[in-house]
Amino acid sequence: MPRTVTTIWRNALLAALSLLVAVAGLEGLARLLVPADDVAGRGLDLQHFSADRAAEPDPLLGYRLRRNAEVANFRFNNLGFVGPDMAAQKPAGTFRILCLGGSTTLGAGAEADRFSYPALLGEIFRRLNRNPDVRVEVVNGGVFGYHSWHTRLRTQKELPALSPDYYVLMDGLNDVMAACRQMAPADLDRLAASMDSVLRTLVAGRANGVAAWLERRLSGLALTRLARELGRKLRPAPSAAGQDCAARLEKFRFRGNLDAILAQAKADGIAALVVNYPWLPAREPAVTASMGLSDDDVRLYGIGRQAVAAVNTDVTRQDGVPLVDPQPLFDQAVAATGKPRLYFSDTVHFTRLGNFALAKAVYAALAADPAVARATGRPTPATDAEIDALFPDILAWRPADGSGWPTARETALETAAPEETGLAIKGPDGEGTASLAPAGEEAVIRLRLSGTPPKEAFFYPRISGDGKSAVHVLAVSPDGAKREIFALRNDTGDGIWSPVAGRYELSLPKRPDLVLEIVLSGHDAQVWSRGGKLLFAAAPEAGRAAN
């Protein structure tokens, strides 16, 4: 007797249910063999920044800046970018430049968000603009800890909705740190595979149809993870030589991410500029000593600067995208001054002067683009000299040359009892530290050093950013003539104090019984003493004279 239609459908249903049960069983087994490991989540939050008070968790990026917050003079706006609030929809007559990167883009190391390189870049464009119909808006999209995977996800998912005209991309530093210090070599392949799955889901999410739906469903299965894990284990293991930092950076997909970011920008009609992150010239002995670099730091920074620059050069040349390389500028500036702390606030971040140098280099590259020239009404970029003339307060600023009270290897310089005029003293505290400031508008401390002074000394002045306070040191010659050998002032009016225990170097005239005058101008001018002493120097080495 032939099968009825009902029997055929019943058997088909049973077969489908059997298949579903089998797949569910395999899925359960796969989950036991390959438990869910959020390697993408870990790779996107390697330093656990999602728990930081300046951040909030994000399901795609791991974390992002906390919206509508202010932390240590850095404002995080309504959209989670650095700086003042902004409109998500680009206003008419606006040329929008979006700067992307990590904490070096955010401005960490400078005292406030207004001294980040994107903020200074925006101010350069504002002061130089000749087109009243167009406003150049520079948005600071830097986030501490972000690397090229974050940038790729952002340019794929959220940033095109802001309608930027330009991306300025400065990744590489955090990629090197992640690939060569923070992640185990075995996790690099797993991160790349996991991020590929995330990106496929994102692309599918932008697409429609059955294929896109199926891609989204399959990407989350443990069976899919098991297949990827088996494929990874069956591939030949890399040679030991392939595990150096440059090779690990490739496995981290820095090159692939940059290429994908630029391709996505092109597809979205957004111009792009790539910036080589300028590394601290770590191989210089003076830099190594003054910045406290370890041998591993020196090695890693040397590899990092070469590997990142090589990738940036190859990819931008291949994709026809402009590249800015400020590395020679920073190397020359540090070599010329001998003071890396003028440009670097620590071993990776920039001071306001370093950010200003970076902003000028980026401005020159952007302003050479005809689209930017039309927006600003300037057919040719302004010169460095023209820009410098507009920012005398930035150029007059100077950082501390170091930090920390004198150590056991440093000694106080002997002086006769100081002569003091108009001085108010607060302290000393339990450690012998006191602050000296004017009782009125000005105070003068006159010191006579005993014997021949060392060539280099240091002391502890401190001022606020009220624009009125300053500390000057004058060398007084035997005939009474005075010559300024040091000045600390802040003309910006930013309200930011120089650091406590910030030490500043003094180059002393090599003259017996040298007389110095320390002049404190303004209520917020201070000089700090330790154990009743104001001037200090490194203790002379055994067998060497103090001078």
Side-chain angles (χ1 to χ4, degrees):
M1 181 177 178
R3 293 182 177 180
T4 65
V5 173
T6 301
T7 302
I8 294 173
W9 276 106
R10 183 173 62 245
N11 291 340
L13 181 61
L14 288 172
L17 287 173
S18 299
L19 178 61
L20 184 61
V21 170
V23 169
L26 290 172
E27 173 70 7
L29 179 61
R31 292 185 182 220
L32 291 173
L33 294 173
V34 188
D37 180 8
D38 187 17
V39 67
R42 288 188 288 111
L44 292 172
D45 191 10
L46 289 164
Q47 300 178 66
H48 309 291
F49 280 131
S50 57
D52 192 279
R53 67 190 180 105
E56 59 187 31
D58 185 272
L60 177 64
L61 299 166
Y63 63 97
R64 63 188 310 125
L65 295 181
R66 185 175 299 279
R67 297 170 178 86
N68 301 309
E70 182 170 345
V71 179
N73 296 319
F74 280 78
R75 299 162 294 170
F76 305 143
N77 70 19
N78 56 316
L79 299 181
F81 294 101
V82 182
D85 285 354
M86 57 180 284
Q89 183 174 355
K90 184 173 66 176
T94 298
F95 191 92
R96 179 171 279 178
I97 299 170
L98 188 48
C99 299
L100 303 175
S103 57
T104 52
T105 296
L106 180 146
E111 300 88 344
D113 61 66
R114 62 179 289 194
F115 299 120
S116 66
Y117 100 77
L120 291 170
L121 176 64
E123 190 62 18
I124 290 172
F125 275 115
R126 188 187 71 80
R127 298 187 188 189
L128 291 172
N129 186 43
R130 291 177 178 174
N131 185 352
D133 298 324
V134 176
R135 179 176 74 96
V136 176
E137 177 190 50
V138 180
V139 180
N140 186 341
V143 180
F144 41 80
Y146 271 21
H147 45 62
S148 64
W149 280 112
H150 293 95
T151 302
R152 184 172 177 182
L153 290 170
R154 299 175 84 189
T155 54
Q156 175 72 45
K157 179 71 173 176
E158 64 178 38
L159 298 181
L162 298 175
S163 304
D165 298 282
Y166 240 108
Y167 288 141
V168 179
L169 308 164
M170 191 171 72
D171 283 320
L173 169 63
N174 287 335
D175 293 71
V176 169
M177 296 301 176
C180 304
R181 271 193 175 166
Q182 296 164 344
M183 294 191 72
D187 280 341
L188 295 176
D189 280 331
R190 298 174 65 204
L191 173 66
S194 181
M195 293 305 301
D196 282 344
S197 176
V198 171
L199 286 160
R200 282 195 301 270
T201 303
L202 279 180
V203 172
R206 294 176 66 170
N208 297 311
V210 175
W213 178 89
L214 188 61
E215 170 67 26
R216 289 194 291 271
R217 300 285 78 80
L218 290 176
S219 63
L221 292 177
L223 283 171
T224 305
R225 293 200 305 272
L226 178 60
R228 288 199 301 262
E229 188 72 9
L230 289 174
R232 185 181 68 84
K233 291 182 179 297
L234 291 173
R235 286 195 298 270
S239 66
Q243 291 299 319
D244 64 17
C245 185
R248 290 173 68 172
L249 188 63
E250 288 289 330
K251 291 167 72 66
F252 190 75
R253 298 278 189 89
F254 175 59
R255 179 188 298 270
N257 286 339
L258 179 58
D259 194 31
I261 291 164
L262 296 178
Q264 187 65 53
K266 183 177 181 180
D268 291 332
I270 302 168
L273 173 71
V274 176
V275 182
N276 275 344
Y277 164 74
W279 298 75
L280 183 71
R283 294 189 184 278
E284 296 296 327
V287 172
T288 302
S290 66
M291 300 300 285
L293 293 169
S294 67
D295 291 342
D296 185 59
D297 290 331
V298 173
R299 181 192 63 81
L300 184 64
Y301 289 16
I303 295 171
R305 74 152 59 191
Q306 293 177 6
V308 171
V311 170
N312 285 342
T313 300
D314 289 348
V315 174
T316 54
R317 182 184 295 125
Q318 167 190 312
D319 293 347
V321 171
L323 172 68
V324 176
D325 184 15
Q327 188 70 67
L329 170 69
F330 276 72
D331 288 349
Q332 292 163 13
V334 170
T337 62
K339 294 182 179 294
R341 290 188 184 274
L342 279 173
Y343 296 90
F344 291 88
S345 59
D346 54 33
T347 58
V348 294
H349 298 106
F350 309 120
T351 64
R352 66 178 73 177
L353 194 58
N355 282 323
F356 184 54
L358 183 57
K360 288 193 294 183
V362 173
Y363 162 79
L366 289 172
D369 185 316
V372 178
R374 287 192 297 272
T376 60
R378 297 185 67 99
T380 57
T383 65
D384 272 6
E386 290 175 306
I387 298 173
D388 287 347
L390 298 174
F391 293 87
D393 53 331
I394 296 292
L395 297 177
W397 173 86
R398 64 168 295 171
D401 297 306
S403 63
W405 301 114
T407 67
R409 299 186 61 187
E410 296 164 333
T411 183
L413 300 186
E414 292 300 323
T415 67
E419 302 173 21
E420 303 165 353
T421 304
L423 195 65
I425 302 176
K426 184 178 180 179
D429 61 14
E431 296 181 344
T433 304
S435 65
L436 291 68
E441 290 298 323
E442 184 176 277
V444 178
I445 306 169
R446 190 178 180 94
L447 300 172
R448 181 182 297 275
L449 279 67
S450 302
T452 302
K455 183 178 180 181
E456 297 289 341
F458 62 90
F459 75 134
Y460 296 93
R462 190 168 186 240
I463 61 171
S464 77
D466 62 2
K468 301 175 183 177
S469 301
V471 177
H472 300 267
V473 179
L474 310 175
V476 183
S477 65
D479 63 4
K482 299 178 181 180
R483 178 172 65 87
E484 183 175 276
I485 61 172
F486 175 89
L488 178 64
R489 59 183 182 273
N490 182 346
D491 299 328
T492 64
D494 56 25
I496 299 172
W497 280 86
S498 57
V500 174
R503 54 172 65 186
Y504 292 77
E505 295 175 356
L506 283 173
S507 295
L508 301 177
K510 199 169 184 179
R511 188 164 62 234
D513 301 323
L514 176 66
V515 175
L516 299 177
E517 283 188 359
I518 301 175
V519 182
L520 308 176
S521 302
H523 290 285
D524 289 341
Q526 303 173 351
V527 63
W528 291 58
S529 65
R530 187 81 164 179
K533 303 296 184 180
L534 291 169
L535 303 179
F536 305 86
E541 297 178 11
R544 292 181 57 185
N547 59 353

